[in-house]
Amino acid sequence: MADLFQAALRPPDEYTAKDIEVLEGLEPVRRRPGMYIGGTDETALHHLATEALDNAMDEAVAGHATQIDLELDADMTVTVRDNGRGIPVDPHPRFPDKSALEVILTTLHSGGKFSDTAYRTSGGLHGVGISVVNALSAVLEVEVARDRTLYTQRFHQGVPEGGLAAAGRVNNRRGTVIRFRPDDTIFDQGARFSPARLYRMARSKAYLFRGVRIRWSCAAELLSGSPEIPETDTLQYPGGLSDFLDVTLGDRPRIGADLFSGEIASAGGERVEWAVTWLDGPDDGFVRSYCNTIPTPNGGTHELGLRQALTRSVRAYAELTGSGKKLAALTADDVLGGACAMLSVFMRDPQFQGQIKDRLTSREATRQVEQAVRDNLDHWLSAKPAVAGMLIDSIAERMEERLRRRRQKEVSRKSATRRVRLPGKLTDCTRTEAKGTEIFLVEGDSAGGSAKQARDRATQAILPLRGKILNVASASSDKLRGNQELNDLVQALGCGRGGQYSEPELRYERVIIMTDADVDGAHIASLLMTFFFREIPQLVENGHLYLALPPLYRLSQGGLTLYARDDAHREELLTERFSGRGKVETSRFKGLGEMPSAQLRETTMDPERRTLLRIEVPPRVNEAGCSMERQALETTVETLMGRKADSRFAFIQEKARFVETLDI
Ligand code: 0RA
């Protein structure tokens, strides 16, 4: 095999038409690697290994592989081997002249998941796909043992060097080997993997999925700088997340000897696993969450479920045992502050958000996690009254400490003279530093009134705007500068605009556009987004701009109340969540101003329960110099919002075929 591998370093003997097509397919990846792996630095380089390992992990999580090997050679070749089903080698249904394997390795986003029955839960889908690893490798070699036959194929910078070859018979082996050496010319520091980083990554995967054994091996000469990393190791942890917490916490003092841990699997192969313990003392703990073994450092819906379950269960237990008063002002942060928690979910077709997809947004995860953890914690607490008592005391202490700090801050804030002049219409929040605060831009005074009632005074500010604001894409610059409404807005934000923008002076962490769930609301939101994009683009680029998603309908039947965003969502809820028996009371909100403040809080403003959309824009420049994606966006904004009505008209005509229902 070593010889074959050497041979792969030679330039390909011949290019066929097929190869050229493939080259075109992966060319964007080589041209702009940053778009696919988040940069060209050391972290980005390690994404290649993560992706290869995630693919093998998928096969294990789906129940088809039990063993994975991860090897790092002295020349920075990485090998990932699994004993799964083997990547399919038969002709691909959509490209009959190519094997499925070749399509998976040379097509963006095919990722092997072209049939959604292949995986029950899948991490690789979230990743960029093994084709990206291929595109960015000087050499990639794949071996598949399937149906007693060994197949091999090699690629050079993503281009096949010949077709898939049957390389012999194998009797007692199946699975996939991916062996690659990243392309030195792509990465800033060349292809230099850190053995420690790879080892830790493999170890965390083994903790996260206790059904797998990962064998590690690394060329000895790479290990001189990291004595703590073994040359070879077998990573297998039957205790899963609990083992991880035990090892990580060592002998730091905890409340109670036993961890609170458990696992709930549903029939469809979806699973929730957790391990939680609380530190004894004032130190802060941590929450680490994962979906399909992929870290979600930015949390998301699954973490929300955990927070809700822990908070509700602790509160209920305190009330049950007569110490409810002690926890009267309890928040999720009080409960989680001292907790060390590991949460791992496995789900089919997970949805992620964010530039590096590190936040889970699948809605159903919240309910699944909350239910699983809640029931178990209720039992756990009642079964251990002594531990539960200590826990409640410790959480109460945290809560008291938080209240004390808040009172102190309020006193010091009131005595400080305010330096900034703020517009009269702004209802500011009481917290003075920007972190954790948000400003809601709302449509009209009546919605502003409701929002004021619904807000959290400490962290949420409200600025009502007078209906339709100026369209900055078609206004003259004089008109723009003289516009009181927009000047007030900039004043409230504190950060200045255009070339004067100053990030540290931005007075809020999030700027949230909250308009009615109707066409006028959508228009106002578009005008505001245009304003920010044109006048304060840095604010958008830095991820501060959001859209709130208020519901359009409230549906209730018996004790069940649900909110629907739009007509389609209402239909979905009516058929899936309500029973056919009995009437479902439906009310349609005419606007945010009409909505009772409790409902506005619950559906749209409460950070624990709402959904926000973050407005993301491509960066102005990227590795290739000027960003084409950004250019395209500028053009779209000009077409849709600019002065030329005829280009807008052309756009509408061209896109009309995508309209499914027209609500007029
Ligand atoms: C697509 C379909 C099937 C398996 C795989 C991909 C697969 C991909 C990788 C990547 C690394 N190891 C892998 N193992 C399997 C399902 C094939 C079938 O139904 O037999």
Side-chain angles (χ1 to χ4, degrees):
M1 205 22 104
D3 299 352
L4 289 175
F5 196 39
Q6 282 305 314
L9 294 168
R10 288 199 303 267
D13 309 348
E14 48 171 339
Y15 279 102
T16 63
K18 185 173 80 180
D19 297 330
I20 289 160
E21 180 190 316
V22 164
L23 179 68
E24 282 168 359
L26 290 179
E27 206 179 49
V29 185
R30 290 189 59 82
R31 212 172 332 134
R32 282 193 287 277
M35 298 267 303
Y36 301 86
I37 54 169
T40 50
D41 58 3
E42 207 196 335
T43 300
L45 170 72
H46 284 79
H47 279 328
L48 301 188
T50 313
E51 182 61 32
L53 188 59
D54 281 347
N55 275 274
M57 281 300 290
D58 277 350
E59 198 60 6
V61 170
H64 300 293
T66 54
Q67 177 149 306
I68 294 173
D69 297 343
L70 175 63
E71 291 168 15
L72 179 61
D73 296 347
D75 72 345
M76 293 298 159
T77 297
V78 171
T79 303
V80 178
R81 184 181 296 108
D82 68 63
N83 64 350
R85 291 165 297 181
I87 302 180
V89 290
D90 38 327
H92 190 272
R94 269 198 272 134
F95 310 91
D97 59 330
K98 287 183 196 167
S99 67
L101 181 143
E102 188 173 324
V103 173
I104 289 172
L105 278 140
T106 57
T107 315
L108 271 175
H109 303 302
S110 72
K113 314 308 183 319
F114 46 84
S115 128
D116 55 16
T117 53
Y119 284 88
R120 291 198 295 181
T121 65
S122 149
L125 183 69
H126 142 277
V128 286
I130 196 76
S131 62
V132 170
V133 179
N134 194 15
L136 301 177
S137 291
V139 179
L140 182 143
E141 186 179 59
V142 46
E143 262 177 62
V144 168
R146 214 180 140 102
D147 308 325
R148 294 167 183 267
T149 309
L150 184 67
Y151 301 89
T152 63
Q153 190 169 17
R154 277 172 307 157
F155 303 82
H156 170 73
Q157 299 182 333
V159 181
E161 303 198 321
L164 181 72
R169 314 243 338 135
V170 279
N171 274 328
N172 41 21
R173 185 183 144 193
R174 34 161 241 169
T176 305
V177 184
I178 304 270
R179 178 177 292 134
F180 66 97
R181 197 166 59 72
D183 192 338
D184 278 311
T185 64
I186 297 276
F187 295 95
D188 306 342
Q189 326 285 330
R192 289 233 308 277
F193 283 108
S194 144
R197 211 159 157 168
L198 293 185
Y199 177 75
R200 280 196 293 267
M201 175 175 88
R203 194 173 52 183
S204 83
K205 297 283 175 194
Y207 277 121
L208 283 163
F209 187 63
R210 59 183 116 167
V212 73
R213 177 164 63 232
I214 302 183
R215 289 191 307 201
W216 157 260
S217 81
C218 178
E221 55 261 57
L222 298 178
L223 292 172
S224 51
S226 12
E228 76 285 8
I229 307 297
E231 233 177 283
T232 61
D233 202 356
T234 300
L235 308 165
Q236 182 168 30
Y237 305 101
L241 301 181
S242 307
D243 275 6
F244 178 86
L245 266 192
D246 276 332
V247 171
T248 309
L249 294 180
D251 45 29
R252 288 177 76 182
R254 323 173 186 168
I255 296 176
D258 299 334
L259 296 170
F260 163 54
S261 64
E263 170 178 357
I264 298 280
S266 71
E270 305 207 314
R271 219 165 70 224
V272 180
E273 250 183 276
W274 69 91
V276 184
T277 189
W278 279 267
L279 296 173
D280 191 4
D283 286 357
D284 282 344
F286 55 83
V287 178
R288 291 209 198 140
S289 61
Y290 302 82
C291 177
N292 298 348
T293 80
I294 295 184
T296 40
N298 232 324
T301 45
H302 54 340
E303 237 180 85
L304 175 62
L306 179 75
R307 293 170 67 85
Q308 285 179 356
L310 297 181
T311 311
R312 289 179 185 164
S313 189
V314 164
R315 189 182 285 134
Y317 181 82
E319 275 163 15
L320 203 72
T321 53
S323 42
K325 278 228 179 67
K326 251 196 240 175
L327 298 183
L330 186 74
T331 65
D333 285 342
D334 300 330
V335 179
L336 277 119
C340 300
M342 301 285 294
L343 171 67
S344 166
V345 301
F346 293 91
M347 56 193 303
R348 215 190 319 230
D349 194 19
Q351 307 292 313
F352 296 90
Q353 193 182 59
Q355 203 98 58
I356 51 170
K357 306 248 181 278
D358 57 357
R359 182 179 169 84
L360 184 71
T361 54
S362 310
R363 283 161 175 263
E364 65 276 20
T366 305
R367 194 183 42 79
Q368 283 168 357
V369 174
E370 139 112 66
Q371 231 159 41
V373 175
R374 172 86 207 255
D375 286 357
N376 277 271
L377 186 54
D378 288 349
H379 283 119
W380 193 81
L381 292 170
S382 341
K384 297 172 185 293
V387 175
M390 287 190 282
L391 181 60
I392 299 234
D393 286 347
S394 152
I395 290 174
E397 220 164 280
R398 237 168 230 281
M399 184 191 82
E400 289 301 337
E401 179 55 33
R402 177 177 56 81
L403 295 176
R404 226 181 349 263
R405 272 202 308 268
R406 189 167 79 185
R407 280 192 297 271
Q408 233 165 39
K409 201 174 259 169
E410 235 146 71
V411 172
S412 61
R413 190 185 72 86
K414 280 185 191 129
S415 54
T417 45
R418 292 220 133 194
R419 268 167 297 144
V420 276
R421 262 194 316 121
L422 295 171
K425 290 181 302 170
L426 173 73
T427 306
D428 207 2
C429 55
T430 57
R431 182 179 295 180
T432 45
E433 88 259 74
K435 193 162 176 357
T437 65
E438 26 196 55
I439 180 169
F440 285 84
L441 311 181
V442 299
E443 168 187 349
D445 289 332
S446 95
S450 306
K452 254 186 258 179
Q453 303 259 312
R455 75 186 180 128
D456 168 5
R457 301 187 56 229
T459 58
Q460 299 183 320
I462 311 294
L463 182 68
L465 298 170
R466 212 176 307 117
K468 304 268 161 98
I469 64 154
L470 181 71
N471 181 1
V472 305
S474 64
S476 67
S477 57
D478 275 358
K479 217 161 168 201
L480 182 53
R481 258 194 304 276
N483 188 277
Q484 190 58 40
E485 196 86 15
L486 294 175
N487 289 342
D488 281 355
L489 169 55
V490 177
Q491 192 69 253
L493 297 176
C495 58
R497 62 162 99 176
Q500 263 88 53
Y501 179 81
S502 158
E503 172 88 17
E505 283 175 82
L506 179 60
R507 300 180 60 252
Y508 308 92
E509 185 176 343
R510 285 183 281 274
V511 178
I512 303 173
I513 299 173
M514 183 166 74
T515 55
D516 293 346
D518 57 19
V519 284
D520 278 326
H523 186 207
I524 294 169
S526 311
L527 291 167
L528 279 166
M529 286 188 285
T530 309
F531 166 72
F532 283 108
F533 181 60
R534 287 288 181 85
E535 289 294 303
I536 324 184
Q538 304 92 328
L539 182 142
V540 191
E541 285 155 8
N542 296 344
H544 296 296
L545 186 63
Y546 295 81
L547 284 181
L549 289 181
L552 190 55
Y553 296 103
R554 177 176 194 270
L555 310 168
S556 62
Q557 182 186 48
L560 178 64
T561 299
L562 298 172
Y563 296 89
R565 288 184 300 280
D566 50 31
D567 290 290
H569 191 208
R570 180 181 62 162
E571 285 311 309
E572 182 190 320
L573 292 177
L574 285 175
T575 48
E576 286 177 15
R577 303 293 301 280
F578 290 98
S579 78
R581 281 167 281 117
K583 186 163 156 8
V584 178
E585 296 285 345
T586 301
S587 52
R588 186 181 202 279
F589 298 113
K590 290 202 195 71
L592 297 175
E594 309 259 315
M595 202 186 275
S597 59
Q599 289 176 20
L600 181 58
R601 178 183 313 128
E602 174 178 333
T603 59
T604 317
M605 292 180 70
D606 177 2
E608 298 273 319
R609 286 179 283 189
R610 70 185 179 198
T611 304
L612 291 183
L613 286 181
R614 172 146 71 201
I615 308 302
E616 289 178 355
V617 293
R620 273 180 270 196
V621 285
N622 59 13
E623 300 78 16
C626 169
S627 152
M628 275 162 57
E629 290 75 15
R630 180 59 172 247
Q631 287 281 306
L633 178 59
E634 308 266 359
T635 310
T636 307
V637 171
E638 184 54 38
T639 307
L640 295 181
M641 305 300 292
R643 233 173 275 177
K644 293 204 187 104
D646 46 346
S647 62
R648 187 148 48 245
F649 187 62
F651 179 92
I652 294 170
Q653 280 188 319
E654 187 193 325
K655 305 288 176 189
R657 65 200 159 94
F658 296 116
V659 174
E660 282 173 9
T661 54
L662 200 54
D663 229 353
I664 34 178

